[in-house]
Amino acid sequence: MKYSALKGVHDILPPDIYLWQKVESLAQEVFSLYGFQEIRLPIIESTDIFTRSIGETTDIVEKEMYTFPDRAGRSITLRPEGTASVVRAYVENHLYNLPSPQKFFYSGPMFRYERPQKGRFRQFYQIGIEAFGLAAPELDAEILSMLKVFLERLGVRGLNFKINSIGCEDCRPPFRMALVDFFSDKLNDLCPDCQRRYGYNPLRILDCKVERCIELRKGAPRVTDFLCEECRSHFASVLSSLRILDIPHEASPTLIRGLDYYTRTTFEVESEQLGSQKAVAAGGRYDRLVEEFGGPKTPAIGFAIGMERLTTLLKESGGILTPSPDIFIATIGKGAITEGALIAERLRAKDLWTEVGYDGSSLKSQLRKADRLASRFAFIIGDDEISTGKIKWKNLRDGSHGEADMSGLEDFVSSHLFDAKTR
Ligand code: HAM
């Protein structure tokens, strides 16, 4: 019987994993400079957390959630995204009582039953951030700046920051009416989902992926023409802060995100290198969600980065630096294997990655293996070395070689082979 991974899910193996680790540790480094702290949240939640926040008429909730009853019959969902869980945790743990703003980052797998294709998976990974308690437009610009700094430090180039404002609950009703009006004579040509959405959430038609609907919405009213005074001024300040911080961006009035919780600022960061699934990161404000989850009125904003898409870009731009052993100890004979094991432990205690040839193969074949692993040094121990107390070493990069006393080996290794310069 041969098993394979489920459709749309994937293993992350070496050497790719080194890119993932680099991204994760740099995220932690950069995000901490802006005051974000890590939180770890469950992968399963009550289904209504997502239906309530993402929205009943969104593609995610209607078609893509992995939802199942648990053994007690409760409806459970594998999280399709992180924001809803962070808001749930923020309210449940009364984090609004702590000084504002509270800023968090998280990473981990998300699950959406989408049609798998390049850049789109059913289990995919995000790194996300969420900031609570500050409505200032400067914060919107600051988190975009953080995203830019992070992506630049990783060496990703050629990104396009698209930004829009989708207003608030005051601007929504007139915009909604204008949409209803615009689509009224096109209703029969819309896809069945959009015909249904027309009645209770016409905004969703603007996010539909069906070719016919994309065509029909050309010339549709733009949300930016319906912003109330406060939303208009917020958006203008965000754009001016972006200019001050020197963040190239493109105002994108048709950018309507696929989740219902957004208010005001929304954005996506795209790369043309990614093909049809271009968005490497996306996010926005959601100033009403904390209140909807039973907390106090609390403005909030965040984004999430798609790890698969980001690591694809990194692989294309610079490849992967794979770590390799510092030392390979080739052994000749049983006694040497035991001695090799002991020496290896002493070297590892000095933070050196050490491998031992345990398989009893010829010296030649062990040295070939050391080469294949790209080890920096090979050490050789046999009966002669054990009786003289000397070990042979060879630098596999420049061919230099010599002998060292087994007793003070650690000192010799750190002063002669791995001095500060070569480490
Ligand atoms: P989202 O746009 O649904 O937003 O996802 C954010 C990013 O996750 C996308 O830009 C993409 O890079 C990646 N992504 C989404 N779906 C898939 C998939 N099926 N396969 C691979 N990558 C995918 C959110 O999830 C919001 N929670 C972001 C946010 C945080 N807004 C406010 N705070």
Side-chain angles (χ1 to χ4, degrees), residues 375-394:
S375 308
R376 290 260 299 273
F377 289 91
F379 286 6
I380 300 160
I381 324 177
D383 291 340
D384 286 354
E385 284 76 14
I386 294 174
S387 60
T388 57
K390 299 254 186 215
I391 194 167
K392 289 203 177 74
W393 61 266
K394 182 174 181 198

Side-chain angles (χ1 to χ4, degrees), residues 51-261:
T51 39
R52 183 77 194 269
S53 56
I54 297 169
E56 308 235 15
T57 50
T58 55
D59 275 354
I60 297 181
V61 169
E62 282 184 338
K63 303 178 191 163
E64 298 171 2
M65 294 207 304
Y66 280 89
T67 295
F68 55 94
D70 72 3
R71 288 178 185 272
R74 284 175 290 250
S75 182
I76 305 291
T77 293
L78 294 180
R79 62 179 182 195
E81 58 109 48
T83 311
S85 301
V86 179
V87 174
R88 197 259 316 129
Y90 180 79
V91 174
E92 184 176 348
N93 296 292
H94 311 290
L95 301 180
Y96 44 78
N97 287 330
L98 300 170
S100 275
Q102 285 292 311
K103 304 179 193 172
F104 306 106
F105 73 89
Y106 52 90
S107 61
M110 310 291 160
F111 303 84
R112 295 184 196 174
Y113 195 80
E114 294 196 81
R115 199 170 47 79
Q117 60 179 91
K118 185 167 180 272
R120 197 203 271 159
F121 299 89
R122 290 183 172 164
Q123 174 172 340
F124 60 98
Y125 291 74
Q126 286 184 342
I127 295 186
I129 64 104
E130 315 290 347
F132 295 91
L134 197 61
E138 289 75 15
L139 176 66
D140 307 29
E142 186 178 273
I143 68 156
L144 278 159
S145 183
M146 176 171 88
L147 181 56
K148 176 172 169 267
V149 167
F150 169 64
L151 293 168
E152 276 178 0
R153 283 211 200 173
L154 279 171
V156 188
R157 301 267 174 269
L159 294 171
N160 192 5
F161 284 64
K162 291 188 153 183
I163 181 152
N164 194 21
S165 171
I166 59 163
C168 65
E169 67 274 26
D170 291 338
C171 343
R172 237 18 104 60
F175 178 51
R176 188 188 153 115
M177 269 165 56
L179 285 176
V180 168
D181 199 37
F182 177 81
F183 287 111
S184 61
D185 59 351
K186 303 174 179 62
L187 191 54
N188 292 336
D189 298 321
L190 292 170
C191 75
D193 281 339
C194 284
Q195 292 190 12
R196 216 167 13 84
R197 289 160 178 168
Y198 176 82
Y200 38 100
N201 197 355
L203 226 90
R204 289 272 68 93
I205 303 173
L206 301 177
D207 182 50
C208 179
K209 316 242 168 13
V210 175
E211 211 46 61
R212 208 165 67 232
C213 300
I214 296 176
E215 197 54 39
L216 285 169
R217 68 180 177 237
K218 283 191 178 148
R222 294 173 159 196
V223 62
T224 30
D225 293 330
F226 292 83
L227 296 183
C228 66
E229 205 34 56
E230 282 170 17
C231 287
R232 194 183 301 276
S233 130
H234 182 95
F235 190 39
S237 305
V238 174
L239 295 179
S240 95
S241 300
L242 288 176
R243 281 190 291 273
I244 290 165
L245 291 174
D246 197 21
I247 302 168
H249 58 278
E250 181 189 315
S252 181
T254 53
L255 175 70
I256 299 290
R257 307 262 301 118
L259 304 99
D260 274 354
Y261 49 62

